[in-house]
Amino acid sequence: LGRRGGTEGTAAARWARAVQRRPVVWVLGSLAALVLLALPVADLRLGFSDAGTLSTDNTARRAYDLLGEGFGAGVNAPMVVAVSAPDAELVATDLADAVGEDRGVASVSPPVVSEDGGTALLQLLPSSAPRDEATTDLVHRLRDDVVPATAGDAEVVIGGAQAAAVDFADYTGDRLPVFLAVVLGLSFVLLVLVFRGLLVALKAVVVNLLSLGAAFGAVVAVFQWGWGADLLGIEGEAPVEAWVPMMLIAIVFGLSMDYEVFLLSRIREEYDRTGDNAGAVTLGLARTARVITAAAAIMICVFGSFVFGSARELQLFGFGLAVAVLIDATLVRLVLVPATMELLGTANWWLPRRLDRALPHLTVEMPVEDRARDDALVG
């Protein structure tokens, strides 16, 4: 690298060569760390926090606690059951008896019947708090088991703010795999078009997915399980806000692809010039490490500042983004990427000729001859 801009003495170049000397060890070590961080994702639960996660100095939190102490935790999560049937009062009465026997129901009000007798309303209070998993299980159990077994052909709907929150969380959770698949697929296609390599594109998508999983794991551990929450000034354990995963996936993948394209474009440029994969990886990392580190540090500080706010939603969102950027700019970009590219060697840039001819050519860098021509014109 002495003829390549004198980068052989930089700390980034020395680090790259150290990783490249033992790529298997670094790959296994970094993968183990990422998988360990991502393990809590298996317990991810989507939902919404409530006033019980606010500071005890907040009047809404004090009112929430007083109501729970006086009338039970479920008073903060009332639900409404609407019955539509020719004999709505009879159906509602039978339904009230069946619902009242459920272990998760604290109380059920007598049915309120419309003047024409075709509609009846019940109000039920669960025995658990709004953010508890038992409350979500209750909504599903009533809809899937209790109501069908009792109401027959009558139309029964369970609503209220708590039921709506459960519906939104379920709706978002069901569509997250589709959203993630679309993001992964488009990222893979674009990377193949730009860098003309199947394995380098696949590697980029996989490592970015691992860094995203590690960030989600940290979010679950801190905000859902409560690990270290006191150190961050976060009160109460609650599910992950239902809207956060989709936003995190979109933003984190955008940032990760930004880093990836910046790094790989420099590596690809050097590889095209020399044909030396190992040297290209070293030089690419050495030339881009400072910029990537500086950009990541700025974003970590900005996103991390959200954690010191008072709104749990923003604390969770900022924490997830900060952790994702930190993992991506260090463990992924400085360890996993150079190590895997060293192991794959020239296979990084393999692309079947027929596919190469069929795909359009996209570039993020101006060709060398065009840059030389433009420099001559400017001179």
Side-chain angles (χ1 to χ4, degrees):
L1 291 176
R3 298 184 300 277
R4 302 172 191 171
T7 60
E8 72 282 354
T10 66
R14 292 194 297 271
W15 171 261
R17 285 194 292 271
V19 172
Q20 288 173 298
R21 278 195 292 269
R22 294 180 177 84
V24 175
V25 174
W26 287 102
V27 167
L28 294 178
S30 56
L31 286 178
L34 289 172
V35 171
L36 182 64
L37 288 171
L39 285 178
V41 175
D43 193 41
L44 174 65
R45 184 165 64 92
L46 299 182
F48 290 91
S49 57
D50 53 37
T53 59
L54 298 174
S55 170
T56 52
D57 297 331
N58 191 294
T59 55
R61 168 65 185 277
R62 294 203 295 270
Y64 177 94
D65 291 341
L66 287 174
L67 286 171
E69 292 170 4
F71 302 98
V75 73
N76 294 298
M79 287 179 273
V80 176
V81 181
V83 180
S84 177
D87 53 348
E89 183 174 7
L90 177 61
V91 174
T93 301
D94 293 340
L95 195 59
D97 294 337
V99 168
E101 294 176 357
D102 189 279
R103 63 185 181 277
V105 176
S107 64
V108 184
S109 69
V112 178
V113 186
S114 63
E115 292 183 0
D116 62 2
T119 305
L121 290 178
L122 300 170
Q123 185 180 56
L124 67 88
L125 297 179
S127 57
S128 51
R131 65 181 183 275
D132 290 346
E133 188 174 4
T135 305
T136 301
D137 293 340
L138 173 64
V139 174
H140 291 153
R141 191 165 59 250
L142 292 179
R143 287 174 172 172
D144 299 338
D145 301 327
V146 177
V147 170
T150 307
D153 295 332
E155 182 181 358
V156 179
V157 178
I158 300 177
Q162 185 59 39
V166 172
D167 290 340
F168 183 84
D170 291 343
Y171 183 88
T172 305
D174 291 341
R175 281 151 183 79
L176 268 180
V178 178
F179 179 73
L180 184 59
V182 171
V183 172
L184 291 173
L186 290 177
S187 299
F188 175 76
V189 171
L190 289 174
L191 287 172
V192 170
L193 292 177
V194 172
F195 297 110
R196 321 304 294 182
L198 291 178
L199 292 182
V200 74
L202 180 62
K203 179 269 306 174
V205 170
V206 171
V207 297
N208 286 335
L209 183 61
L210 287 172
S211 66
L212 183 65
F216 273 118
V219 168
V220 171
V222 173
F223 288 86
Q224 187 174 313
W225 294 353
W227 291 4
D230 294 338
L231 300 177
L232 298 175
I234 300 168
E235 298 194 27
E237 300 171 13
V240 175
E241 303 297 321
W243 57 270
V244 166
M246 192 168 293
M247 295 296 294
L248 271 180
I249 290 171
I251 295 175
V252 169
F253 253 91
L255 295 174
S256 298
M257 284 299 115
D258 188 30
Y259 293 151
E260 189 76 21
V261 170
F262 185 62
L263 174 60
L264 288 182
S265 61
R266 190 67 187 88
I267 295 175
R268 179 72 201 205
E269 180 184 2
E270 185 64 19
Y271 177 77
D272 289 340
R273 189 178 72 85
T274 64
D276 178 10
N277 180 76
V281 171
T282 303
L283 183 64
L285 187 62
R287 292 286 177 84
T288 60
R290 287 185 180 181
V291 177
I292 291 177
T293 303
I298 293 172
M299 284 186 286
I300 290 170
C301 291
V302 173
F303 295 144
S305 66
F306 294 178
V307 180
F308 299 101
S310 58
R312 182 181 185 273
E313 298 87 348
L314 291 180
Q315 289 178 311
L316 190 153
F317 189 51
F319 178 82
L321 287 174
V323 171
V325 172
L326 176 63
I327 293 173
D328 190 79
T330 54
L331 195 59
V332 171
R333 214 58 57 197
L334 295 179
V335 178
L336 197 53
V337 169
T340 53
M341 294 191 73
E342 175 68 19
L343 283 176
L344 293 174
T346 56
N348 282 298
W349 317 107
W350 174 76
L351 186 67
R353 292 184 179 180
R354 182 174 299 180
L355 183 60
D356 188 25
R357 290 193 298 267
L359 294 176
H361 286 257
L362 301 179
T363 59
V364 293
E365 294 283 345
M366 182 182 295
V368 176
E369 57 273 14
D370 291 344
R371 288 203 305 269
R373 182 191 60 209
D374 289 351
D375 292 342
L377 292 174
V378 172

